[in-house]
Amino acid sequence: MVFSTPFFLFTYFPLVLAIHAITPLKWRNAVLLVVNLIFYGWKKPAYILIMFASIGIDYVHGLLVEKAKGAGNDKRAKRYVIQSMAFNLALLGFFKYWDFIAGSLHGLGLTFMPVLGLELPIGISFYTFQTMSYTVDVYRGDAKAQRNIVNFGTFVTLFPQLIAGPILKYKDLADQIDERDYPIERFAAGVQIFTVGLAKKVLLANNLGSLWDYYKALPAGELTTAGAWLGIVAFAFHLYFDFSGYSDMAVGLGQMLGFEFLGNFNYPYMAKSITDFWRRWHISLSSWFRDYLYIPLGGSRCSKGRLVFNLMAVWTATGIWHGANWNFLLWGIYYGVLLVLEKLVWGKALQKLPAALQHVYALALVLIGWALFAIEDFSALGPYLGSMLGFAGGGLVNGTVFYHLRSYTLILLLAAVGSSPLVKSLWHKLPGKAQKLLCPLLILAGLLLSTAYLVDGTYNPFLYFQF
Amino acid sequence: MNKNYARFLSALFCGLLAVLFTANALTPDKEFSQVENRALAQRPHITGDTFQLPPLSGLFTSNQGGDFFTGKLMSDYETYVIDQFVLRDTWVAAKAYAEMLIGKKENNNVYFCEDGSLITRFDAPDEKRLERNFNSVSKFAASVDVPVYFGLIPTQASVWADKLPAGAPNYDQNLVLEAAGKAVTGTTQLDLATNLNGHKDEAIFYRTDHHWTSLGAYYGYVSVMEGLGRGDEVIPLEDYAKTTVSTEFYGTVFSSSGVRWVKPDEMDTYVPADGLKLITVSTNASGLEERTERPFYDESYLEVKDKYSMFLGGQQPLGVVYTGNTDKPKLLLVRDSYSDSLVPFLTPHFSEIHLMDLRYYKTSASEYIAKNGIDAALVLYSVPNFTSDTNLVFLR
């Protein structure tokens, strides 16, 4: 199930809210677990079995790790951590990468692995990472092992963030799982952020997504340089508003159910360098990799050669995490190389440039990165990048580009402003009374307009599904 | 945020959810949408089969098992919620308005043109399908003894291309016509484009429907007669008296666009139905042929949304028009719905016009020609219908 459907908004979620509200506090986790599982199995009920396996194995391993540590047997505790990680990675590897690897080997004439035609269980990349964090946190003493399997199941399956993050670390959520309160202020804050997220996804992201679809499908000979840039800018906004909208909805729904999740984005397109971009984009993923891969590998407090290795390892993994395809691997390596260069070569020089140039530098590289990310077909990638660099079959610009610019002026403007802290700072400059008056009006407008777009809904893809 | 204000915002949100939840639950489901002219999704039925277990090996891989296990039950339910959403037409219209207000010139693949015309975008056709369809026509022409004529009708997106918003993406239908000229063999090809383009400043297409008007069909008729080598028999337009049968016609493009701010179309007829008899032939449940007479112009359709079906009563697998001109030849017309408004003009020139719709008529057309003493066959489609058609394989 996804949030941006009339069914979720006006059938499932009202029922969840109502049932949740009338359930006594001590039964709420059990109720949440049930509605989480329905949410998760909605697309294909068999997925729930994978979820049960994941919950069961990590629950047991958490207890085993704690017991071994309690007995002073660090070696055994470590072994249990590795065992549980191996299980999670095997699960992810099988469902996400088996067919990709098998298909690639078939391409080379090696057929010992059959292509199984597996359907990727939604959100598997998110929840396997989430459960992996659990045993590590227990091992490191950052959290106590969860004794109640219902509570643990609720943590793993928590529906607001189940299929697209933010990726929660157990240590951040442990206390809230066991006990939380429900102040009305938190609920109201959830309403606000949820509405913002819904509007971002439905009104901005979907609109810009269809613009990108046009340029993505255009044969190389008809692509213009301006069109290629317009297309990739549309994709950049589409992805940002789709994903951050979804994260906002998750945070909002979480707050309505009494949880506080950390945000996932901090105006990524305001970045002044690639290093800066990755502190702002999909924060829960990059901090996961930082805590559970980069730092264990030695982080940056090591030799230069080791640093290069660490960075490349983390970014190759980040790339392939995004999807079982060569272009995602390439995209990860691209960022690995850029980060190595910033750390070791031009990072300091970059900071001396005027701020505007730093923004241009970062945005241009990010946009080229999005072309690698968005175009899965390598035979189309070359011509597209070539068109961006001025070698376009259709010349510099054509009437269609102007048609699109005219049609999307307002949307692009809103997207650009929405990617900056401008809206927030303007909002805070408003007198308190105006805020109080405007807020409910904007909530109503956002919900009603989004509903209109969803009921018409011919175009409502959701990108981070596949990851 | 103080507590009371937080309560107010929360109540606003929950209230809206509750109102729409309740309204959706209480509004009775509709079978058919007049505005969209289509059957709406209904609540999925749950039967014993729905919960049929998939085999263990297909648990994660294939779409085996009942609708519950494949997830079809749930996605059908979501579609049902959307289709039966309370005040659905209002939401759809609101979205179209919103798109227009933010500066878009298009909604759901329909362009808003300056003069209030709504024109569906024509996308680059699937080349493989197009080639298959061309081949079907060529093969059919080679398999029958009577002369075969082939015509493609360019539509608004081509004839009225200069009405489209400047720079709007739109594939050139003339490229399809050129390709047909090269690919289709064994037929005499009709040129409908020249005549329609020549009269593009007249109301030859509806502004809110994908069809041509009776006036457009008249120019099509002139092209057809010229292509048949009988241009000298054409009846001049002045000889007809125009009858306006409706001024309240909102067509299919109106429906799909969501646009509700345009004026309705006017619908005219030129040819009186006197002496014309239309028999529609269908196959009943036990496989027997049933022949029933239909009104040539079925005016009951003027009372509903789907007014274009007034011409020959709309869809039928096979229809035969008896014109009373027994000395004239018999024509087989393999066609789409554009022919419904063309046929009236053809009636003076044929004794019988047999209308075959390949979507519903799957028996051999060449056998039909032999059995019914047909003198000539005409394959006539609009460019968008021809390029997207999947039933031309049944033309044999």
Side-chain angles (χ1 to χ4, degrees):
Chain A
M1 213 185 287
V2 291
F3 306 148
S4 52
T5 60
F7 171 75
F8 177 82
L9 283 173
F10 301 112
T11 307
Y12 194 71
F13 189 55
L15 287 174
V16 168
L17 269 184
I19 294 168
H20 183 260
I22 58 168
T23 305
L25 292 189
K26 65 172 185 178
W27 291 107
R28 282 195 176 170
N29 277 356
V31 164
L32 271 183
L33 181 58
V34 172
V35 300
N36 290 343
L37 289 172
I38 296 173
F39 181 90
Y40 190 66
W42 190 251
K43 186 163 178 244
K44 207 171 169 75
Y47 290 164
I48 295 175
L49 296 176
I50 308 173
M51 198 58 105
F52 281 147
S54 196
I55 295 171
I57 287 183
D58 287 302
Y59 172 75
V60 170
H61 277 84
L63 293 175
L64 287 173
V65 168
E66 195 170 71
K67 199 174 161 207
K69 276 199 74 167
N73 193 338
D74 189 67
K75 226 170 136 187
R76 182 184 289 173
K78 214 173 207 165
R79 206 177 67 219
Y80 285 132
V81 172
I82 291 170
Q83 211 168 295
S84 103
M85 288 189 97
F87 165 77
N88 280 300
L89 289 173
L91 201 64
L92 183 60
F94 178 68
F95 281 103
K96 191 164 178 173
Y97 301 108
W98 176 283
D99 279 348
F100 169 63
I101 296 169
S104 301
L105 288 173
H106 277 239
L108 297 172
L110 301 168
T111 53
F112 60 90
M113 272 170 78
V115 176
L116 298 174
L118 294 168
E119 264 182 72
L120 182 66
I122 50 174
I124 192 167
S125 314
F126 290 91
Y127 68 77
T128 49
F129 268 47
Q130 193 155 309
T131 52
M132 268 193 272
S133 79
Y134 167 67
T135 38
V136 178
D137 287 348
V138 171
Y139 171 76
R140 288 178 179 168
D142 290 339
K144 276 202 223 137
Q146 177 59 260
R147 291 182 196 293
N148 183 331
I149 195 160
V150 171
N151 287 0
F152 184 68
T154 307
F155 159 70
V156 176
T157 59
L158 203 53
F159 84 86
Q161 48 76 56
L162 178 60
I163 61 172
I167 299 167
L168 306 175
K169 296 184 195 81
Y170 184 72
K171 60 184 176 190
D172 295 334
L173 210 68
D175 297 340
Q176 303 180 41
I177 284 287
D178 290 339
E179 208 179 318
R180 57 191 175 275
D181 53 358
Y182 303 89
I184 190 76
E185 291 89 343
R186 186 183 295 155
F187 192 99
V191 166
Q192 291 172 312
I193 186 120
F194 176 81
T195 309
V196 169
L198 181 70
K200 273 165 128 180
K201 156 75 184 140
V202 177
L203 304 179
L204 287 178
N206 285 356
N207 239 318
L208 290 156
S210 57
L211 180 57
W212 161 242
D213 283 349
Y214 174 81
Y215 285 99
K216 187 184 184 181
L218 214 55
E222 292 171 37
L223 199 59
T224 61
T225 297
W229 281 98
L230 178 62
I232 209 67
V233 166
F235 177 77
F237 283 140
H238 170 50
L239 188 67
Y240 172 61
F241 287 106
D242 195 271
F243 193 13
S244 76
Y246 212 85
S247 285
D248 288 347
M249 286 191 270
V251 171
L253 292 171
Q255 286 182 318
M256 290 185 226
L257 298 171
F259 293 93
E260 285 289 356
F261 307 149
L262 296 171
N264 218 1
F265 293 90
N266 180 26
Y267 306 109
Y269 295 141
M270 299 304 289
K272 288 169 145 182
S273 67
I274 296 304
T275 313
D276 191 20
F277 175 75
W278 278 104
R279 283 193 208 112
R280 296 162 172 271
W281 178 272
H282 202 175
I283 297 166
S284 67
L285 179 72
S286 28
S287 71
W288 195 99
F289 272 115
R290 184 194 64 217
D291 289 359
Y292 301 106
L293 183 61
Y294 185 62
I295 291 176
L297 283 173
S300 54
R301 287 181 198 157
C302 53
S303 70
K304 272 191 184 174
R306 180 72 196 193
L307 174 67
V308 171
F309 172 81
N310 290 350
L311 281 170
M312 290 313 294
V314 166
W315 291 96
T316 308
T318 304
I320 204 72
W321 180 89
H322 279 83
N325 207 330
W326 295 110
N327 69 307
F328 293 115
L329 189 67
L330 181 68
W331 177 76
I333 292 171
Y334 168 81
Y335 275 115
V337 170
L338 285 174
L339 289 164
V340 166
L341 290 171
E342 281 190 2
K343 271 223 151 62
L344 300 180
V345 186
W346 61 59
K348 290 220 172 77
L350 185 66
Q351 284 174 12
K352 291 187 188 117
L353 287 177
L357 280 183
Q358 293 182 42
H359 285 300
V360 171
Y361 157 87
L363 274 181
L365 288 176
V366 166
L367 287 176
I368 290 171
W370 287 142
L372 303 179
F373 186 91
I375 303 172
E376 296 187 14
D377 173 7
F378 274 123
S379 67
L381 180 62
Y384 198 95
L385 286 173
S387 302
M388 285 173 74
L389 297 174
F391 306 99
L396 207 57
V397 65
N398 61 15
T400 302
V401 175
F402 287 115
Y403 169 74
H404 282 142
L405 283 174
R406 277 193 301 274
S407 297
Y408 286 86
T409 314
L410 195 66
I411 293 275
L412 286 167
L413 216 64
L414 279 175
V417 172
S419 305
S420 78
L422 196 63
V423 179
K424 204 176 209 170
S425 66
L426 283 178
W427 179 257
H428 287 301
K429 278 195 187 123
L430 281 178
K433 261 198 175 153
Q435 282 183 14
K436 275 197 163 173
L437 199 69
L438 267 178
C439 183
L441 293 177
L442 287 173
I443 287 177
L444 264 186
L447 287 173
L448 292 176
L449 205 53
S450 299
T451 305
Y453 273 71
L454 288 176
V455 171
D456 186 55
T458 40
Y459 187 89
N460 187 17
F462 172 48
L463 286 183
Y464 261 72
F465 236 152
Q466 49 175 316
F467 303 127
Chain B
M1 204 184 317
N2 71 40
K3 255 195 162 41
N4 279 333
Y5 189 67
R7 279 199 193 104
F8 164 65
L9 286 187
S10 306
L12 182 74
F13 178 80
C14 295
L16 183 70
L17 260 54
V19 165
L20 285 171
F21 177 88
T22 318
N24 280 332
L26 294 183
T27 347
D29 290 350
K30 285 201 290 182
E31 294 267 329
F32 188 83
S33 163
Q34 282 278 333
V35 172
E36 292 176 70
N37 194 29
R38 69 176 177 96
L40 296 172
Q42 300 297 307
R43 188 190 294 272
H45 287 292
I46 292 177
T47 63
D49 289 345
T50 312
F51 296 101
Q52 194 199 339
L53 279 167
L56 211 53
S57 61
L59 209 51
F60 299 110
T61 52
S62 58
N63 281 324
Q64 297 174 47
D67 286 353
F68 173 73
F69 289 100
T70 59
K72 185 175 179 295
L73 176 71
M74 289 77 97
S75 70
D76 285 353
Y77 195 86
E78 293 202 19
T79 312
Y80 156 76
V81 171
I82 294 184
D83 266 12
Q84 300 292 347
F85 206 89
V86 63
L87 299 176
R88 177 179 161 81
D89 297 338
T90 312
W91 296 107
V92 169
K95 185 240 178 182
Y97 266 114
E99 290 282 277
M100 187 261 283
L101 287 175
I102 60 173
K104 293 272 196 71
K105 298 265 183 223
E106 118 181 66
N107 189 42
N108 299 349
N109 304 334
V110 174
Y111 290 120
F112 319 149
C113 304
E114 292 297 332
D115 67 342
S117 302
L118 301 172
I119 299 182
T120 306
R121 185 178 68 219
F122 182 66
D123 287 321
D126 174 347
E127 302 214 351
K128 277 201 186 120
R129 175 175 296 162
L130 189 57
E131 197 186 302
R132 262 203 306 275
N133 288 350
F134 285 151
N135 277 339
S136 297
V137 177
S138 303
K139 267 208 247 161
F140 170 68
S143 72
V144 294
D145 297 328
V146 298
V148 175
Y149 300 87
F150 174 52
L152 289 176
I153 306 164
T155 60
Q156 288 94 327
S158 172
V159 178
W160 281 354
D162 50 3
K163 292 190 184 194
L164 296 175
N170 184 42
Y171 189 82
D172 186 359
Q173 294 186 1
N174 292 310
L175 297 175
V176 177
L177 301 181
E178 276 170 34
K182 288 188 195 123
V184 178
T185 54
T187 68
T188 305
Q189 296 203 22
L190 311 181
D191 169 21
L192 290 107
T194 308
N195 223 350
L196 287 172
N197 286 325
H199 292 278
K200 68 177 181 184
D201 295 330
E202 298 166 44
I204 54 176
F205 294 103
Y206 295 108
R207 287 178 297 100
T208 71
D209 193 71
H210 66 290
H211 293 107
W212 52 11
T213 59
S214 290
L215 183 62
Y218 173 80
Y219 296 121
Y221 146 75
V222 174
S223 304
V224 169
M225 292 303 287
E226 282 166 353
L228 261 54
R230 297 167 65 185
D232 52 328
E233 296 175 36
V234 165
I235 296 175
L237 188 62
E238 306 85 78
D239 288 9
Y240 287 113
K242 182 173 94 173
T243 314
T244 300
V245 294
S246 175
T247 51
E248 293 295 314
F249 177 40
Y250 281 119
T252 53
V253 190
F254 170 86
S255 299
S256 62
S257 68
V259 167
R260 299 293 174 261
W261 58 82
V262 294
K263 282 185 302 192
D265 270 303
E266 180 184 299
M267 192 179 222
D268 306 317
T269 58
Y270 287 83
V271 185
D274 309 335
L276 301 173
K277 191 169 140 190
L278 170 61
I279 301 290
T280 187
V281 186
S282 57
T283 316
N284 69 14
S286 42
L288 291 173
E289 210 180 72
E290 262 181 14
R291 299 169 68 88
T292 37
E293 184 163 357
R294 269 193 187 185
F296 191 75
Y297 296 126
D298 188 344
E299 292 185 355
S300 68
Y301 279 102
L302 296 175
E303 307 304 316
V304 295
K305 165 83 177 38
D306 178 22
K307 295 185 170 51
Y308 185 80
S309 286
M310 179 210 58
F311 295 104
L312 312 186
Q315 297 171 349
Q316 50 193 329
L318 185 68
V320 186
V321 178
Y322 297 93
T323 66
N325 307 311
T326 42
D327 54 331
K328 304 278 176 163
K330 293 180 184 177
L331 177 72
L332 172 69
L333 187 46
V334 180
R335 54 77 177 234
D336 62 14
S337 54
Y338 283 69
S339 289
D340 287 331
S341 49
L342 170 74
V343 164
F345 294 108
L346 295 175
T347 51
H349 311 286
F350 297 92
S351 58
E352 295 172 13
I353 301 171
H354 297 249
L355 300 157
M356 194 176 275
D357 187 334
L358 296 177
R359 283 178 300 173
Y360 314 109
Y361 189 88
K362 309 287 186 196
T363 322
S364 161
S366 50
E367 277 172 29
Y368 188 89
I369 288 174
K371 215 168 86 187
N372 292 280
I374 301 290
D375 300 300
L378 167 57
V379 179
L380 184 67
Y381 281 81
S382 72
V383 173
N385 282 342
F386 186 83
T387 51
S388 61
D389 191 275
T390 53
N391 293 302
L392 276 152
V393 287
F394 297 108
L395 181 60
R396 60 208 142 95

